[in-house]
C-alpha cells in the first residue's frame, strides 16, 4: 500500500495487473482508503465492462422534468470535488480496466490524466472547460490476459505506473497459517499451488492466485473451493490438454491423502 501511494504521488495513477485471485482489488481499495483517510466522500469506485461508455464515466444525457439534461459520471463528479478541496487527496478506483474501450470511456480526459498535463484546461462533450486536478489519483486493476490489454497498455504505458501482482506462495502460506490449517494439509495445498502455477509460464490461463484460498481452513473448505471454483479454472485452462488436466486433478486429490512413512508400511525400523 505504501508503494502504491508513493507511485500515485509521482504518476497520478497506478495500474495493478495480474491474474484473478492475486489481491489486486483488495490493495487498490485499501490504498484508496489510506490515501483519503477513509473519507467516503473522497473516494469513488467503478467497474468497467464491455458496454461501459463515456456517458457512464464522464458525461451523458439523462431524463429530467424538462426533458433531458447532462448528468456527470463518477470521473467528473470526483474531479469537481477534488478541484474544490485542494488540500486533500481524492481517489478513483477502477476495477477491470481492460474490460472496456478505455479510449472511448475516458474521451478527452485520456490525455489530461497524465501527471504532466494535469491542470491544463480542455473541453468536454457539453462544451464545458474543465481541468483534471493534481490531487485526484486513479487506482486501477486489470487482468493482463484480457482481450483489451493491448489497448490499455497503449493508452496508459507512459501515463500511469504499472505494478505486477502475481500468485505468491509466501502470501498463501501466511493466509493458511492465519486460518489455522494443519501442517500436512497446508503442505499439500502449497505443492499443488506451485504445480499449477508452474504450468502458467506457458499457459497464462492456468494461473491461480493465492486469494482463492482465503477461506480455506480444512479439508471440507478446500473441497468447496475445488468443486465450485478451481475445478472449472483447470478445465478451462487445459480443455485442449487432457493429460495435464487429469494430472492436476489427480494431484489435487493427493493433497488429502498423506502416505505413511516407508518404515510404517514395511514394518521395518
Amino acid at each position: 500500500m505504501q508503494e502504491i501511494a508513493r507511485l500515485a504521488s509521482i504518476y497520478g495513477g497506478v495500474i495493478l495487473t495480474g491474474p484473478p485471485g492475486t489481491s489486486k482489488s483488495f490493495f487498490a481499495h485499501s490504498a484508496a482508503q489510506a490515501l483519503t483517510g477513509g473519507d467516503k466522500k473522497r473516494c469513488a469506485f467503478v467497474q468497467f465492462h464491455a458496454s461501459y461508455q463515456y456517458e457512464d464515466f464522464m458525461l451523458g444525457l439523462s431524463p429530467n422534468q424538462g426533458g433531458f439534461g447532462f448528468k456527470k459520471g463518477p470521473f467528473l463528479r470526483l474531479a469537481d470535488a477534488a478541484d474544490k478541496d485542494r488540500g486533500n487527496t481524492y481517489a478513483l478506483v477502477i476495477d477491470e480496466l481492460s474490460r472496456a474501450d478505455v479510449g472511448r470511456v475516458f474521451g478527452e480526459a485520456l490525455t489530461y490524466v497524465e501527471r504532466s498535463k494535469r491542470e491544463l484546461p480542455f473541453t468536454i462533450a457539453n462544451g464545458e472547460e474543465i481541468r483534471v486536478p493534481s490531487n485526484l489519483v486513479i487506482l486501477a486493476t486489470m487482468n493482463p490476459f484480457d482481450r483489451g490489454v493491448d489497448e490499455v497498455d497503449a493508452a496508459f504505458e507512459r501515463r500511469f505506473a504499472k505494478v505486477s501482482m502475481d500468485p505468491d506462495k509466501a502470501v498463501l502460506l501466511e493466509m493458511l497459517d492465519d486460518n489455522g490449517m494443519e501442517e500436512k494439509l497446508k503442505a499439500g495445498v502449497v505443492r499443488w499451488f506451485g504445480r499449477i502455477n508452474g504450468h502458467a509460464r506457458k499457459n497464462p490461463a492456468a494461473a491461480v492466485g493465492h486469494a482463492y484460498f482465503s477461506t480455506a481452513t480444512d479439508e471440507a473448505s478446500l473441497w468447496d473451493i475445488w468443486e465450485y471454483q478451481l475445478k472449472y479454472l483447470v478445465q478451462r485452462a487445459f480443455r485442449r490438454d487432457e493429460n495435464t488436466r487429469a494430472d492436476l486433478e489427480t494431484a489435487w486429490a493427493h493433497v488429502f491423502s498423506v502416505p505413511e512413512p516407508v518404515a510404517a508400511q514395511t514394518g521395518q525400523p
Side-chain angles (χ1 to χ4, degrees):
M1 285 170 55
Q2 290 176 342
E3 183 69 0
I4 292 169
R6 186 183 74 84
L7 293 171
S9 69
I10 297 171
Y11 295 97
V14 180
I15 299 174
L16 307 181
T17 177
T22 51
S23 309
K24 300 184 298 296
S25 295
F26 170 81
F27 278 108
H29 285 68
S30 298
Q33 294 294 318
L35 286 165
T36 60
D39 187 345
K40 294 181 179 179
K41 295 180 181 178
R42 290 157 52 198
C43 284
F45 305 92
V46 299
Q47 184 176 41
F48 282 8
H49 50 78
S51 59
Y52 201 76
Q53 299 290 334
Y54 180 94
E55 292 79 8
D56 304 304
F57 187 61
M58 294 288 292
L59 184 73
L61 287 172
S62 177
N64 56 36
Q65 292 182 345
F68 286 87
F70 286 106
K71 180 180 179 181
K72 293 181 178 180
F75 183 89
L76 280 188
R77 291 199 300 269
L78 202 64
D80 284 349
D83 189 38
K84 297 171 183 175
D85 185 18
R86 292 295 183 138
N88 287 306
T89 298
Y90 284 66
L92 173 63
V93 178
I94 304 173
D95 269 327
E96 308 290 0
L97 180 70
S98 49
R99 295 290 176 88
D101 182 339
V102 293
R104 178 171 293 185
V105 171
F106 275 83
E108 309 88 356
L110 185 61
T111 296
Y112 298 93
V113 294
E114 183 179 336
R115 178 60 89 187
S116 64
K117 293 182 173 62
R118 296 290 180 96
E119 309 297 344
L120 296 179
F122 64 99
T123 303
I124 56 177
N126 65 349
E128 180 183 352
E129 186 177 270
I130 69 163
R131 294 171 175 81
V132 179
S134 299
N135 59 325
L136 171 62
V137 301
I138 298 172
L139 306 176
T141 72
M142 74 174 195
N143 185 335
F145 310 116
D146 281 343
R147 291 181 181 178
V149 167
D150 288 344
E151 288 77 11
V152 172
D153 284 346
F156 290 105
E157 63 184 0
R158 66 180 179 80
R159 293 184 170 95
F160 290 173
K162 186 185 286 188
V163 177
S164 291
M165 304 285 288
D166 300 314
D168 192 319
K169 185 172 74 173
V171 175
L172 173 64
L173 277 167
E174 183 178 356
M175 193 178 290
L176 298 180
D177 282 338
D178 289 344
N179 291 352
M181 182 174 289
E182 59 97 7
E183 289 299 320
K184 290 182 179 178
L185 188 59
K186 181 173 64 177
V189 172
V190 171
R191 281 196 303 271
W192 189 86
F193 181 81
R195 189 168 191 159
I196 191 167
N197 282 306
H199 287 290
R201 298 186 188 100
K202 292 184 177 179
N203 181 0
V208 171
H210 41 268
Y212 276 100
F213 299 92
S214 61
T215 59
T217 57
D218 54 17
E219 290 193 4
S221 58
L222 283 171
W223 276 115
D224 280 343
I225 293 167
W226 171 262
E227 190 64 28
Y228 302 111
Q229 292 186 305
L230 292 179
K231 178 174 71 175
Y232 300 102
L233 184 151
V234 171
Q235 289 174 350
R236 183 176 63 252
F238 299 101
R239 60 182 179 272
R240 295 185 179 87
D241 186 351
E242 288 295 318
N243 290 334
T244 303
R245 180 188 61 76
D247 177 68
L248 286 166
E249 289 176 349
T250 301
W252 178 262
H254 287 167
V255 168
F256 306 93
S257 57
V258 182
E260 294 182 36
V262 173
Q265 295 174 7
T266 63
Q268 297 176 357

